[in-house]
Amino acid sequence: MAFRGRGRGRGRGFGAAYEMRLVKNVPYDEYPEDVTLPSLPSVDPLPNEVKALIASKLKLEYFWKGSCYHLQEVGSRSKSQDVDIERFSDRFKQKGKGKREALASYLKLTPSNFPPELIQGSKHMQHDKKKLRWDTDEKLFDMFEKLEEKYKGEDEKGKEKKGESEDEEDEEEEAEEETSDDDDYNKNVDFDDDEDDLNMEEEEQEDVYE
Amino acid sequence: MKGQLSVKNAYCFLKERIGRSRLSTLAVAMVGQHGINLAVSLITSHFGDLVAVCPLLLLPSFSPLRPLRFLVVSRMQKICGCLLQRGTLSLQEIARATELSNPQVKNGLLVLIQHNCVQAFSVPRAAGAVKAVTQYMALFDNILHRMRFSKLLAIVREDLGAQCETLLEGLLQHGRLTFDQLVVRATSKKPEGRLTTPLDIMDETLSLEKQAMRAAALSDAERFSEIMSTGTEDSDVKTEDKQDVSVGAKRKFEVLEMDEEVQATITENEVLWRANFPKFVHCLKKKVCVENVRSRMGLDAGVVLEAIIESSDEAKDNSVKASIDCILEAVRGKPGGISMTLEHIRIVLDQLGCSSSTEDCNVFYTMELQSIIESCQNDEVESLVLTRYGKEAYRIFRLLIRKGSLVETDQISDITFVEKKTAQAILYKLWNDDFLYMQKVISIGTGQMQHFLWKVEKDSVWELVLNHMYHAALNLNLKIAHIVEQEHEVRQAQEKREQLRKSRMILELSLLKLDDALMVFHNF
């Protein structure tokens, strides 16, 4: 290791000598003043089809984030987290863990649909008459749907609604920020917690059937 | 390693069993690192960290058997990325590689299979083994399709209406659903008013030829259950009518008059329905072709091409064929097509490069869509070179593409009217970035002279451009996520919010356009 260090030092010495000749020393300017950034391309009058596409994309993404398919780490809520100070930014974090439905209520865990080794440990869910929450949040979804309808309607009529659409998008943006509050607005959900077998009690089930 | 199937063998095995055409949807992940990263980031944003992988530093290029060495050893080394990186793996191997517990891996795989992102198949082990091992393979194409779901919904909305769009939305949201689940979902969404059952709509869609947008997963599921050797399909015999499924007191079913058999097949088996991605890709491909032809050769050509496509037989992928009568009829039905005479149409068909053939006293015109796609690809690459390297580089590159063979530097500068020194600099830059192939030739005449010959290798350049596009899409996704985070920050002035919103819209728009280009290079 000492040898290596010495070798490095020598290399550095020689290298430095070389560099002095080829490169002139320019002081490093961390925040250069004279940089002109190109202006943002203005695509503000976005065509309505584009707006509709973006709205439906956001709707899908929002659905997935709140769906049962969005798996979270088990045990991510360590003890220290509970003791942590509650921060303002936590307001915007998705804390829907307790509200997620069991994976098994949506999946048909039959051998023809999934390889048998994956469904060995799971119980057969009685979910014939259970109400499933097919859309995560009605309030926000309505907002998205209204947006989509509006843009589709505009396509057919062929009108431009620039000012209005900006308002709508502001609303959409605000509504997005209120994501975490919407858990309180879920009216039609009524499921038992012990149905959350797959997601929450994995450790207990871990080696039972293997 | 015993029991492990190499990627190539899996490919051949599946090809035999399933047939070539289906294999395109089970694309073996022969993609570069950027593609893998993009796929992983999509899965992360949709399904969470557990199921995907954060882009890991300096991953080796795709190689199924080489063990991964992570520079940042994170506890959560996840499933999808692992599968993409290493090809097909079995459950234990995934658990080992990702260091997740078995139930977590199982859940992750359930989600991925449900959403058609991973395919399970079992291969009987070598002689003497008791049971077959189930291997899992990531489906790269299907993962990337998740970027385009909104476009698929738009297609269906245009062609089939809002109700079909709702059905498809359900399928896209949940990956796969049985018929009953679709019904329940549909009725739970629209409580008031009379509801036409989804079966009606399904019927409509199935009976109309060109609108088979939802392929029964039955055929696929059956084949795979053979491969998985799991025995017969589970079929809960549905003894109740649909009327027994009720959500509140608020809706009314229509009793359909249709064949009992068909109804029975649909409702009796637990058939899983899912979206038919190749069909959608085909639709998008046709749209792109028509767009391209319209911009290159005028509105008339676009109209005629659309007519051929509509009246042609759906089965073939790359070429469309239609008789002159059908074309005429279709053209007359389009805006702007009424005034086109038969002669005019014939001229346009020749311009498009259709080949004609006579069968049964009818003249048929065949159009190769592949040539249109290739010209789209050419345009894309040339415009890329133009924006990155300048006009002169663009000229040189076009020359080399058109020539297709080795050209010497002097010749290049003569033909393109670019000065020799500039030409050399440009050629060197292009070669450095892997756009060109260079060959050095030493001629011994009066003295030793070095000549450089240049050539565009289409295949490798296309792959390079595709990788760049994946990289760009990944960057766009990350930037958009970053903006979303910023939007949530506490102290934001109104203008800053406005600016963030604008930036986000621009980025989303760019992502949409980039996705179009991606499809041209990869899927079509």
Side-chain angles (χ1 to χ4, degrees), chain B residues 87 89 109 129 194 206 252 349 380 424 429 431 462 518:
Chain B
L89 294 173
L109 282 174
R194 226 188 82 212
L206 288 176
K252 213 163 74 153
L349 284 169
E380 198 64 49
Q424 273 180 338
K429 241 195 300 180
W431 173 76
W462 264 219
L518 246 176

Side-chain angles (χ1 to χ4, degrees), chain B residues 94-109:
Chain B
I94 299 176
R96 218 182 312 145
T98 59
E99 294 178 15
L100 290 171
S101 68
N102 246 343
Q104 287 174 325
V105 173
K106 282 186 184 174
N107 275 347
L109 282 174

Side-chain angles (χ1 to χ4, degrees), chain B residues 228-279:
Chain B
M228 292 193 302
S229 61
T230 51
T232 58
E233 207 177 310
D234 209 57
S235 56
D236 289 348
V237 178
K238 297 285 173 201
T239 50
E240 343 113 334
D241 281 342
K242 292 192 300 295
Q243 277 149 3
D244 283 355
V245 183
S246 61
V247 179
K250 300 174 230 160
R251 96 276 160 285
K252 213 163 74 153
F253 270 124
E254 254 189 330
V255 176
L256 297 168
E257 296 155 17
M258 43 180 294
D259 289 338
E260 286 214 6
E261 302 166 25
V262 181
Q263 181 163 0
T265 21
I266 292 183
T267 53
E268 272 193 21
N269 299 331
E270 293 268 333
V271 173
L272 282 179
W273 295 81
R274 62 166 189 218
N276 184 4
F277 291 130
K279 171 78 187 180

Side-chain angles (χ1 to χ4, degrees), chain A residues 40-44 46-47 49-54 56-61 63-65 67-74 88-89 92 103 105-121 127-135 141 145 148-149 152 165-166 169-170 172-173 176-177 179 198-199 202-203 205-207 210, chain B residues 44-51 75-76 78 91 101-111 113-115 120 134 136 146-147 149-151 153-154 157 165 169 172-174 176-178 181 184-185 188-189 221 225 228 230 232-234 240 244-245 247 270 272 477 480 487-488 490 494 497-499 501-506 508-509 511-512:
Chain A
L40 267 183
S42 69
V43 288
D44 233 352
L46 277 177
E49 312 93 50
V50 173
K51 283 182 184 158
L53 281 176
I54 296 178
S56 70
K57 177 187 169 200
L58 293 179
K59 190 172 161 192
L60 279 172
E61 284 181 355
F63 170 81
W64 281 319
K65 285 202 165 65
S67 71
C68 63
Y69 304 113
H70 194 95
L71 301 179
Q72 283 168 322
E73 270 180 53
V74 174
F88 187 80
S89 52
F92 300 111
L103 202 54
S105 49
Y106 286 99
L107 303 184
K108 297 284 178 184
L109 295 172
T110 59
S112 58
N113 298 339
F114 293 100
E117 64 182 5
L118 291 183
I119 54 179
Q120 260 166 11
H127 50 250
D128 291 306
K129 306 295 179 191
K130 208 171 74 159
K131 265 193 206 176
L132 292 174
R133 198 185 359 147
W134 288 100
D135 288 327
F141 257 34
E145 286 198 8
E148 270 189 77
E149 292 301 315
K152 289 175 230 163
S165 58
E166 280 185 3
E169 283 173 63
D170 275 336
E172 167 193 327
E173 205 194 328
E176 271 179 54
E177 291 170 50
T179 337
L198 286 184
N199 277 343
E202 278 120 7
E203 287 101 355
Q205 279 188 29
E206 200 170 310
D207 292 313
E210 301 197 1
Chain B
T44 319
S45 64
H46 293 172
F47 301 131
D49 278 339
L50 207 62
V51 187
R75 186 181 167 265
M76 288 297 155
K78 286 104 191 176
L91 188 62
S101 68
N102 246 343
Q104 287 174 325
V105 173
K106 282 186 184 174
N107 275 347
L109 282 174
L110 282 174
V111 169
I113 293 180
Q114 173 70 2
H115 281 86
T134 319
Y136 300 92
R146 305 186 71 81
M147 261 200 308
F149 280 177
S150 54
K151 291 188 188 168
L153 286 171
R157 183 168 61 229
E165 189 202 357
E169 195 183 16
L172 293 178
Q173 280 176 345
H174 295 272
R176 309 187 296 189
L177 290 174
T178 62
Q181 286 176 312
V184 171
R185 179 178 181 272
S188 73
K189 283 187 79 149
S225 56
M228 292 193 302
T230 51
T232 58
E233 207 177 310
D234 209 57
E240 343 113 334
D244 283 355
V245 183
V247 179
E270 293 268 333
L272 282 179
N477 276 324
I480 290 175
E487 279 175 352
H488 284 326
V490 181
Q494 190 55 30
R497 270 198 219 278
E498 258 313 297
Q499 195 193 26
R501 191 189 66 79
K502 265 195 215 166
S503 323
R504 182 176 181 179
M505 284 298 137
I506 295 173
E508 296 273 8
L509 177 61
L511 193 55
L512 283 173

Side-chain angles (χ1 to χ4, degrees), chain A residues 84-205:
Chain A
D84 251 356
I85 309 168
E86 189 187 313
R87 299 192 177 88
F88 187 80
S89 52
D90 288 342
R91 187 178 154 220
F92 300 111
K93 282 201 195 136
Q94 289 239 346
K95 35 176 188 165
K97 186 175 175 192
K99 303 285 186 174
R100 285 193 200 279
E101 293 166 302
L103 202 54
S105 49
Y106 286 99
L107 303 184
K108 297 284 178 184
L109 295 172
T110 59
S112 58
N113 298 339
F114 293 100
E117 64 182 5
L118 291 183
I119 54 179
Q120 260 166 11
S122 63
K123 307 175 186 167
H124 263 302
M125 310 285 297
Q126 281 304 316
H127 50 250
D128 291 306
K129 306 295 179 191
K130 208 171 74 159
K131 265 193 206 176
L132 292 174
R133 198 185 359 147
W134 288 100
D135 288 327
T136 44
D137 182 55
E138 289 180 352
K139 181 177 171 227
L140 199 55
F141 257 34
D142 288 342
M143 162 104 325
F144 277 124
E145 286 198 8
K146 262 190 266 159
L147 265 180
E148 270 189 77
E149 292 301 315
K150 195 178 82 63
Y151 295 136
K152 289 175 230 163
E154 280 178 8
D155 270 345
E156 287 154 18
K157 293 178 204 161
K159 274 189 258 165
E160 254 204 20
K161 289 187 185 159
K162 188 170 165 186
E164 243 176 274
S165 58
E166 280 185 3
D167 285 339
E168 290 271 11
E169 283 173 63
D170 275 336
E171 259 188 74
E172 167 193 327
E173 205 194 328
E174 283 172 25
E176 271 179 54
E177 291 170 50
E178 294 169 6
T179 337
S180 56
D181 288 338
D182 292 328
D183 288 334
D184 299 334
Y185 289 97
N186 287 328
K187 310 174 206 105
N188 63 340
V189 182
D190 190 19
F191 53 87
D192 306 325
D193 275 333
D194 30 297
E195 304 281 10
D196 275 336
D197 289 332
L198 286 184
N199 277 343
M200 289 175 120
E201 292 165 14
E202 278 120 7
E203 287 101 355
E204 294 163 32
Q205 279 188 29

